[in-house]
Amino acid sequence: MHPVILSAYTMASCLGRGLGPTRAAMRDGASRLIPCRFETVDLETYVGEIEGVDAQVLPAGLRHFDCRNNRAAEVGLMQDGFVEAVEGARRRHGAARIGVFMGTSTAGILQTELAYRRRAADGSLPADFDYAHTHSTFSVGDYVRTRLGLAGPGVVVSTACSSSAKVFANAARFLDAGLIDAAVVGGVDTLCLTTLYGFNSLQLLSTQPCRPYDEQRDGISIGEAAAFFLLERVGDGASPQSLALLGVGESCDAYHMSSPHPEGLGARIAMEAALAAAAMGARGIDYVNLHGTGTPSNDAAEDRAVSGLFGHDVPVNSTKGMTGHALGAAGAAEAVISVLALAEGWVPASPGTRTIDPALKARYEVAGGPRALRRVMSNSFGFGGSNCSLVFGRLGTAP
């Protein structure tokens, strides 16, 4: 694939709003996971909430999109001058030449959960419930596209935890085909009862902040996030120092609906495909941001794939101990963290992890710290074996 410039990026998560608090947490090894007090949920687990989402008001004329997921999208869009950057791209390319590619898992399902509490005696949902604009999978893509005044292709991907990583691949294909000149890509997923009770029913929720790669790891901590990138083709004035998406790799191992392939087969195929797309070998990667959920089977499978490909030379870790697992938004949120690591020359910490499981072989770094990074990889692997790996670097480091 041709490299794609990262013209702007931002995120909101439990770490805070924008790149500033995210950058600080990466350096300080801070976690903002808190005991779950969400809605009516009665579970012993930890979550990562975006502060102030419920109080966020959508712009006039867009109130029919009102739900927690789209409010989170609005919070994310408002950070780091992202809306202004898209406005600049719209002036350069035209609204019809900018696509919107969003990833989400449960979208606005909380809105339906709330509507069900207000069912009429005959079981019908309340008349003011607007499924299309609040719950449907396309809702967040529709909201972002409308909010930014864009008229290019609109795509929403829902492949569980790889959703907002795979949108980078969709956007790159549209750009390579000449169908668009720029793309807004990202992911938004927010807390709801379905995911909290659903993962609890699978016995996958940790009773404390998640501990990826720890020998005592016992499950995930669910978080929420809204993360966005503005992608543009490499222009004549592009600097060798420009941050860029260099490669994307996808696979589907179809091993099991909720368990990874025990040898990490699909994960390895996705990583190898990303390296091939970036025209580089494994030695070209300086840090891998793992999917690293903190469940025994997921971490073990990913470790087999990563250590088999990179050996013990490349530092790796998971940042879900900071943010929780943002499900459909995890790919975009961890892409932001990976790009910040690249820009700052800093491997982020992995809070929560205390004693690394001696059965795992990759070079897992708990503390993080300064490091010269040329190219980094970010992994996102979803239920059903839907896998995606992204390679980021400076334009001048593209082979």
Side-chain angles (χ1 to χ4, degrees), residues 165 247-250 267 270-271 274 377-381 387-391:
V248 179
E250 299 174 276
M271 290 188 290
M377 177 178 283
S378 181
N379 287 340
S380 297
F381 307 137
N387 309 300
C388 187
S389 296
L390 307 173
V391 174

Side-chain angles (χ1 to χ4, degrees), residues 26 29 211-214 285-290 303 306 311-322 341 345-357 360-373:
M26 286 172 53
R211 297 169 287 174
Y213 262 58
D214 194 284
I285 298 296
D286 300 310
Y287 164 66
V288 179
N289 184 282
L290 301 171
D303 180 75
V306 170
H312 195 71
D313 297 329
V314 178
V316 308
N317 66 20
S318 169
T319 50
K320 286 183 171 67
M322 292 195 300
W346 191 278
V347 172
S350 178
T353 304
R354 295 186 287 273
T355 303
I356 297 173
D357 186 343
L360 304 181
K361 305 303 182 186
R363 181 179 162 184
Y364 196 91
E365 299 207 355
V366 175
R371 193 177 308 272
L373 301 176

Side-chain angles (χ1 to χ4, degrees), residues 184-231:
V184 173
V185 303
V188 185
D189 240 351
T190 45
L191 296 174
C192 63
L193 280 66
T194 299
T195 49
L196 285 162
Y197 282 108
F199 278 99
N200 184 66
S201 71
L202 294 171
Q203 299 181 334
L204 292 177
L205 290 186
S206 177
T207 57
Q208 55 188 294
C210 66
R211 297 169 287 174
Y213 262 58
D214 194 284
E215 64 178 353
Q216 298 298 320
R217 65 191 185 278
D218 63 347
I220 72 173
S221 300
I222 297 180
E224 55 186 10
F228 301 94
F229 284 80
L230 173 62
L231 308 183

